[in-house]
Amino acid sequence: MIALLLRDLKLSLRAGGGFGLGLAFFLIVTTLVPFSVGPQSALLATIAPGVLWLGALLACLLSLDRLLALDWEDGSLDLLATAPLPLEGVVSIKALAHWITTGLPLVLAAPVLGVLLNLPAPGYGWLVVSLILGTPALSVIGTFGAALTVGLKRGGLLLSLLVLPLYVPTLIFGAEVARRGAAGMETATPLLMLSGISAAVIALLPFASATVLRINLR
Amino acid sequence: MTLTVTDLVIARGGVPVLEGLSFTLNPGRALVLRGPNGIGKTTLLRCVAGLQPPVSGRIEGAGDTIAYAGHSDGIKPTLTVAENLTFWARVFGAGSIGPALDAYELNDLTDRHAGNLSAGQKRRLGLARLLVTGRPIWVLDEPTVSLDRSAVEMFAGAVRAHLAQGGSALIATHIELGLEAELLEVGPYKARPAPLDDFDGGFL
């Protein structure tokens, strides 16, 4: 398991691995928002939590289509399925590697980009907390989508269509935590909902992903 | 570990390809599958490796005893030869990669990125993976594709050594490997087309 995690991290850092692509995308999207909305700092402060969450979500989506597709193309997935690792473990590790290379950098970069969007001061802590709790769910749901579309030519677009609706609850509660935090309101309820969604998704979806993958490998 | 296949029916894309297939593979033995293209050799090997369920029939002794090598080698082009092999060794919990590198003469290539290897060198790396799995039954699909004559010799030598250690091998190939292997011609087991399931079917 550790070997697989280390290999995936190494692969993402090597040429063409796509490390930092999501981060760069996040940076560009959030920089474009002030240009399109205009220099209205009050308006930007209002929409900042939502924009940051939406940007993070789209950035997560960007690298999902390579998550399992590359291993499928070069035959590694067949070999991993016949290896002593349980397939549930393989997809969990894949999701973890995706989170470390995509989700974690987004969490760390979000406060810096919050400055660009004039995010109110109390919001920074809540933004980071909501992203830390929410982005693992994005990676795990995304891995499920990748397992569904593995082996399909041009599966990337279908993957986005399948995965984006599943991201809705995480987006609603994640952005709500950040919004309420920025407005200085009480955040316990959306925070609990967000944590609940993430916990349930991390606990249950790997089984679904592994089942789907077994069917797709036939 | 003996592999026993009994009265197997397998299908590809919902169409039965082979039926009534039975064979036994004992430790120390190799079984070579022969048959025309499209007869279902790959499907049979994938069934034995557990990647695909059979339609009916039993496969005993498979599972965690199988090391499978298909048409693709599962090599990551941006990792070096040693990194690729070490990864599989760690996944399978087997020891050092040294013997595998020796067996396929990959020692000079260990620090090269696998993406820069030739097709035959990649295949050798893919076959070297079998040696680090430590599993007794090798299930190989066209293992000699793109290998030159001396590499085929290396492969035959590796299989012979594996058999001498009590392992066994199930190989689908079209070429003569020079192994003491039993031959299984799968052509006669070709599945008959399913009878038409409509009223007119009785008249056809």
Side-chain angles (χ1 to χ4, degrees):
Chain A
M1 296 275 219
I2 303 293
L4 182 60
L5 179 63
L6 291 177
R7 181 194 74 149
D8 275 11
L9 294 180
K10 203 183 276 176
L11 281 174
S12 75
L13 289 173
R14 295 276 164 92
F19 179 78
L21 265 187
L23 192 60
F25 180 80
F26 187 37
L27 177 75
I28 290 171
V29 166
T30 40
T31 332
L32 286 181
V33 170
F35 290 133
S36 63
V37 172
Q40 309 169 50
S41 49
L43 178 60
L44 279 176
T46 320
I47 62 170
V51 167
L52 286 167
W53 249 93
L54 193 59
L57 186 144
L58 293 177
C60 259
L61 199 64
L62 205 61
S63 50
L64 281 178
D65 63 327
R66 305 160 55 90
L67 192 65
L68 292 166
L70 289 180
D71 277 341
W72 159 272
E73 278 163 19
D74 64 19
S76 308
L77 212 50
D78 279 349
L79 304 179
L80 281 172
T82 56
L85 304 176
L87 215 46
E88 288 81 4
V90 171
V91 291
S92 303
I93 291 291
K94 288 265 166 199
L96 178 62
H98 180 261
W99 183 73
I100 292 175
T101 53
T102 309
L104 195 59
L106 294 182
V107 174
L108 299 176
V112 182
L113 297 176
V115 177
L116 284 177
L117 296 176
N118 194 25
L119 185 70
Y124 287 92
W126 290 112
L127 177 69
V128 171
V129 168
S130 67
L131 282 173
I132 282 187
L133 287 173
T135 44
L138 301 183
S139 289
V140 173
I141 295 172
T143 310
F144 175 62
L148 275 174
T149 53
V150 77
L152 292 177
K153 295 264 180 279
R154 303 272 178 278
L157 191 59
L158 181 61
L159 171 64
S160 312
L161 289 177
L162 285 171
V163 159
L164 279 175
L166 299 176
Y167 277 176
V168 169
T170 306
L171 175 66
I172 289 176
F173 292 110
E176 186 67 2
V177 169
R179 189 187 67 83
R180 286 191 179 209
M185 294 178 346
E186 186 260 348
T187 55
T189 311
L191 200 60
L192 284 175
M193 292 298 284
L194 180 66
S195 319
I197 292 167
S198 291
V201 158
I202 291 169
L204 298 175
L205 263 189
F207 294 98
S209 309
T211 309
V212 163
L213 207 51
R214 275 195 196 98
I215 293 170
N216 268 336
L217 280 177
R218 278 181 195 172
Chain B
M1 187 56 94
T2 304
L3 177 72
T4 314
V5 168
T6 319
D7 208 15
L8 196 70
V9 179
I10 55 172
R12 178 162 170 85
V15 180
V17 286
L18 290 174
E19 61 184 12
L21 187 68
S22 302
F23 63 84
T24 306
L25 181 60
N26 288 314
R29 308 292 302 169
L31 184 62
V32 170
L33 297 177
R34 285 281 158 81
N37 292 141
I39 192 74
K41 298 185 294 296
T42 297
T43 311
L44 172 62
L45 295 180
R46 288 179 70 85
C47 277
V48 170
L51 288 168
Q52 187 182 343
V55 177
S56 67
R58 285 201 313 278
I59 301 173
E60 285 156 37
D64 279 353
T65 55
I66 302 277
Y68 172 74
H71 289 289
S72 325
D73 293 314
I75 291 170
K76 291 293 173 192
T78 49
L79 297 183
T80 65
V81 169
E83 283 170 336
N84 269 299
L85 213 48
T86 309
F87 165 67
W88 289 111
R90 289 185 61 192
V91 165
F92 282 89
S96 113
I97 61 168
L101 291 173
D102 291 338
Y104 286 97
E105 293 177 13
L106 292 165
N107 277 310
D108 297 338
L109 303 170
T110 44
D111 293 328
R112 290 269 291 277
H113 285 285
N116 298 335
L117 299 183
S118 77
Q121 288 170 328
K122 278 185 192 151
R123 190 93 264 222
R124 267 152 64 192
L125 176 55
L127 293 170
R129 184 185 59 84
L130 293 166
L131 291 168
V132 302
T133 61
R135 290 196 160 173
I137 305 175
W138 288 0
V139 173
L140 313 177
D141 196 359
E142 305 273 3
T144 54
V145 170
S146 67
L147 290 184
D148 62 16
R149 191 167 295 172
S150 73
V152 171
E153 269 309 305
M154 286 177 212
F155 167 68
V159 173
R160 258 183 234 114
H162 179 63
L163 299 181
Q165 288 167 7
S168 51
L170 180 61
I171 307 171
T173 181
H174 294 290
I175 71 157
E176 207 49 63
L177 291 170
L179 289 170
E180 293 278 313
E182 296 159 55
L183 268 184
L184 177 65
E185 185 64 53
V186 293
Y189 300 98
K190 187 173 168 33
R192 279 158 290 138
L196 291 174
D197 198 18
D198 59 2
F199 176 73
D200 290 336
F203 298 98
L204 293 172

